[in-house]
Amino acid sequence: QAAGKSAEPEVEKFFLDQIERETARSEELQKLILEGLTDPRAKALYAESSEQRARYRDHRARAFKAKAEGDAAAAKRYVDTDLERSAAAYLVSVGQLEARQKELIDATGDAIHDGAARARLWLTLAALAALLLAGSVGYAITRSLQRQLGGE
């Protein structure tokens, strides 16, 4: 927003260069995020977020275009209203995607925890069964030996 309000070309160029670099990096990250999405709802939220991001970028481009064309009033309007609203909508959509991802992470964690609890139960039952089997085999061997030795 500072670049859209700046009257000095050097300041504007600095911000535009920074925006260009950050946009390129953001696009790389967006691709990584999209590649990692498997949940249909998360994909839909990502698509909505991408649409909001495109609106934000369009409003930003319009503000810079108006400024470059010498229409300071239109540039100010884009920055103060359209850009603010589109940035807020974009952040809300990103927040919704983030919340969905957290839900999925929590569900995965719960599934892992439940699986570990089931495994612990099965191991406990298997240990008890092994103890009972060992006791039974020991008792059977002891009785067999006693019979053979005439101890019964």
Side-chain angles (χ1 to χ4, degrees):
Q1 291 179 1
K5 294 179 180 179
S6 172
E8 297 187 33
E10 308 85 46
V11 173
E12 185 173 333
K13 179 171 178 3
F14 169 80
F15 281 109
L16 287 173
D17 290 346
Q18 186 66 26
I19 288 170
E20 187 177 324
R21 282 192 300 276
E22 292 301 321
T23 297
R25 177 67 180 136
S26 179
E27 287 173 357
E28 291 172 15
L29 294 173
Q30 295 279 330
K31 287 177 187 175
L32 289 174
I33 291 169
L34 181 59
E35 289 171 5
L37 295 178
T38 56
D39 176 63
R41 186 166 159 222
K43 286 181 179 183
L45 289 169
Y46 176 85
E48 173 63 25
S49 172
S50 294
E51 289 174 20
Q52 294 296 338
R53 183 172 185 260
R55 284 188 196 106
Y56 167 78
R57 291 179 68 191
D58 180 58
H59 288 139
R60 185 179 66 201
R62 287 181 190 188
F64 282 115
K65 182 178 180 199
K67 189 168 188 298
E69 293 172 350
D71 191 350
K76 182 173 178 6
R77 182 180 47 95
Y78 279 123
V79 169
D80 291 343
T81 57
D82 297 341
L83 194 59
E84 285 284 335
R85 277 190 240 129
S86 61
Y90 174 55
L91 291 176
V92 166
S93 66
V94 168
Q96 291 171 337
L97 176 59
E98 177 187 12
R100 179 60 183 162
Q101 291 298 89
K102 285 181 181 177
E103 287 174 13
L104 294 170
I105 289 167
D106 289 345
T108 300
D110 290 345
I112 290 169
H113 182 268
D114 292 346
R118 278 192 305 276
R120 191 170 34 254
L121 175 64
W122 281 109
L123 287 173
T124 301
L125 291 174
L128 287 173
L131 285 174
L132 287 173
L133 180 61
S136 298
V137 169
Y139 178 75
I141 290 172
T142 302
R143 287 196 38 113
S144 173
L145 286 173
Q146 283 180 344
R147 249 187 259 135
Q148 290 176 9
L149 297 173
E152 265 192 31

